Amino acid sequence: MTDGIMSKAATMEIPINSNGDTGALAEDDGLEQAAKLQWSLNESSRGTRDLQQVMVSGPNLNETSIVSGGYGGTAEGIIPTSSIKGPAVHYNPEFNKRIPVTGLGPNMHHSSSSSSMAAEETTRGVAVEKIEAMRKWSLNTYKCTKQMISERFGRGSRTVDLELEAQIELLRDTKRKYENVLRLAQALTNHFYNMVQTQHSLGDTFADLSQKSPELRDEFGYNAETQKLLCKNGETLLGAINFFVSSINTLVNKTMEDTLMTIKMYENARLEFDAYRSDLEELSLGPRDAVAMARIDAAQQQYQVHKEKYERLRSDVTIKLKFLEENKVKVMHKQLLLFHNAISAYFAGNQQQLEQTLKQFNVKLRPPGADKPSWLEEQ
């Protein structure tokens, strides 16, 4: 029946109308349906045979080929899968690319990336802090240098506390004079120490000669005893002078120096205060737009910070100067009295008074140059 329909369709004439279009025939629908039915039957039988072949034999994965080229490519582009070695891959059809499968899971990738990002953020933060500190230091140095130059050339104004400045200048002058006293006292100690050592050697020589010169035994013996007595009293006096030198050294190079360090900090704070004060005054004389007002507010804050620092250090200097003056009077009163009594007793030949003087001021004899703390350091 099907062969009859197809032969009929092949022998039929197709009329053409005046417009060149095929005419509408009554048999067209029937012929078209018959052709579709025949094509469906052929495809079904072919698909059945292919499916049976696949079910019987089955595909060999080792013989599967990957074609690198497009459709119709040459045989050179065919790569057998059995020759490919390496990690397994997933094929992503969305991006049309091979994605290697590694042993690292998503959590490990996320952890390593997070740690590296945290380290990078820390390094960046440290660098930003250093740059900001350098910027502030440079700006502060520039302002202070500008203020210092202006003051030296008489173009800038400076804050002056007349009473405090006079006390500071007096302290510096006192320190210079006390340094001179200390230097002379050290020279006296060295010279007197050498004299005592000479007297000790001379006494030993006289004693030796008294044993070897019978005719002058008494004369050498008297001189030997005298030099030994002078040597003993000289060592006692050296103990008093060493105590005096040690106390003056502590007063000058520690107590006064500590106060002068505070004064130096105060002077730096005064310079910074005047620098930011001048900067605020210059900005206040300029325009008053939004940018200028923001700069004025920032300058006002910096001015207030340095003003508080300046006032705090000025108060510290005032207090330290007061305590230093009281301590200086107390220490020097004792040390000058000790020095006078010891020198007088030694050159008067009064050994008892010399020893009593050392007991009165609680001075213990020690070798010259010993590093024992002075009375002022023990307080």
Side-chain angles (χ1 to χ4, degrees):
M1 177 180 179
T2 303
D3 296 337
I5 294 174
M6 292 301 297
S7 61
K8 182 179 179 180
T11 56
M12 287 182 65
E13 295 181 357
I14 302 175
I16 305 299
N17 58 15
S18 59
N19 294 329
D21 297 331
T22 58
L25 298 178
E27 294 86 354
D28 288 347
D29 294 338
L31 292 175
E32 184 177 358
Q33 292 178 1
K36 289 182 178 180
L37 179 61
Q38 182 64 29
W39 181 83
S40 298
L41 292 173
N42 294 333
E43 292 295 326
S44 298
S45 61
R46 187 183 299 112
T48 302
R49 288 194 301 271
D50 295 339
L51 181 60
Q52 291 175 355
Q53 183 179 0
V54 170
M55 294 297 291
V56 172
S57 62
N60 189 354
L61 296 178
N62 295 328
E63 297 177 356
T64 306
S65 300
I66 299 176
V67 181
S68 61
Y71 179 76
T74 63
E76 295 178 356
I78 300 175
I79 304 174
T81 57
S82 60
S83 64
I84 300 177
K85 297 181 180 180
V89 296
H90 290 308
Y91 181 74
N92 191 340
E94 180 179 359
F95 298 98
N96 193 21
K97 62 181 180 180
R98 298 166 68 204
I99 304 175
V101 180
T102 62
L104 297 178
N107 293 333
M108 297 183 67
H109 282 296
H110 181 71
S111 177
S112 60
S113 61
S114 299
S115 61
S116 61
M117 290 179 62
E120 184 178 355
E121 289 294 333
T122 303
T123 304
R124 186 183 296 110
V126 173
V128 169
E129 290 179 359
K130 290 184 177 179
I131 293 174
E132 183 65 19
M134 180 62 69
R135 187 188 68 83
K136 291 182 179 179
W137 177 83
S138 301
L139 182 61
N140 185 72
T141 303
Y142 166 74
K143 291 181 181 295
C144 293
T145 304
K146 179 181 176 182
Q147 177 66 23
M148 184 184 302
I149 294 174
S150 299
E151 291 178 2
R152 289 187 177 180
F153 285 93
R155 294 194 300 266
S157 60
R158 64 187 300 264
T159 303
V160 179
D161 189 333
L162 296 177
E163 182 179 358
L164 187 59
E165 293 291 336
Q167 293 178 4
I168 293 173
E169 187 60 31
L170 179 61
L171 171 61
R172 286 174 174 156
D173 184 65
T174 302
K175 185 174 183 292
R176 287 191 295 268
K177 293 178 179 180
Y178 275 46
E179 287 174 344
N180 189 37
V181 171
L182 177 62
R183 183 170 58 253
L184 295 174
Q186 290 173 341
L188 176 62
T189 303
N190 294 331
H191 295 322
F192 196 76
Y193 173 77
N194 293 330
M195 187 185 72
V196 170
Q197 293 301 314
T198 303
Q199 288 175 341
H200 187 275
S201 300
L202 187 59
D204 292 340
T205 303
F206 285 157
D208 183 64
L209 289 173
S210 67
Q211 298 294 329
K212 297 180 181 180
S213 302
E215 67 279 4
L216 298 173
R217 176 179 300 174
D218 295 338
E219 289 78 0
F220 279 124
Y222 296 151
N223 282 277
E225 292 295 332
T226 303
Q227 294 301 321
K228 289 181 179 179
L229 180 60
L230 290 174
C231 183
K232 181 180 179 181
N233 293 339
E235 290 176 353
T236 305
L237 179 61
L238 275 174
I241 297 177
N242 282 330
F243 185 75
F244 175 82
V245 170
S246 178
S247 299
I248 300 299
N249 180 68
T250 302
L251 178 64
V252 172
N253 294 321
K254 292 187 177 180
T255 309
M256 290 185 178
E257 189 64 27
D258 177 72
T259 304
L260 289 174
M261 287 296 296
T262 306
I263 291 173
K264 185 177 180 180
M265 295 171 60
Y266 156 75
E267 291 176 343
N268 292 335
R270 196 278 310 164
L271 183 63
E272 291 179 351
F273 167 68
D274 285 335
Y276 283 92
R277 176 182 56 80
S278 300
D279 186 42
L280 179 61
E281 291 175 355
E282 291 178 2
L283 291 175
S284 299
L285 297 177
R288 294 303 182 95
D289 54 0
V291 177
M293 291 302 298
R295 295 181 61 185
I296 290 174
D297 292 339
Q300 180 68 34
Q301 294 178 0
Q302 292 294 325
Y303 165 78
Q304 190 64 31
V305 169
H306 287 86
K307 180 181 179 181
E308 293 175 357
K309 180 181 178 181
Y310 163 72
E311 292 178 349
R312 183 179 67 254
L313 286 173
R314 181 176 61 180
S315 176
D316 292 345
V317 169
T318 303
I319 294 173
K320 283 198 172 186
L321 285 173
K322 179 181 178 181
F323 284 125
L324 176 61
E325 183 65 22
E326 295 176 356
N327 191 20
K328 182 192 71 174
V329 171
K330 180 180 179 181
V331 170
M332 292 307 299
H333 173 76
K334 177 180 179 179
Q335 296 302 319
L336 291 174
L337 187 60
L338 166 67
F339 190 81
H340 172 268
N341 292 344
I343 293 291
S344 300
Y346 173 80
F347 285 100
N350 192 341
Q351 181 181 0
Q352 294 181 353
Q353 184 179 355
L354 180 60
E355 294 177 353
Q356 185 63 31
T357 300
L358 268 66
K359 291 181 181 179
Q360 177 184 354
F361 292 97
N362 195 23
V363 178
K364 296 181 181 180
L365 295 179
R366 68 180 188 274
D371 294 330
K372 183 179 179 181
S374 65
W375 174 85
L376 187 59
E377 293 174 324
E378 294 175 351
Q379 299 304 313

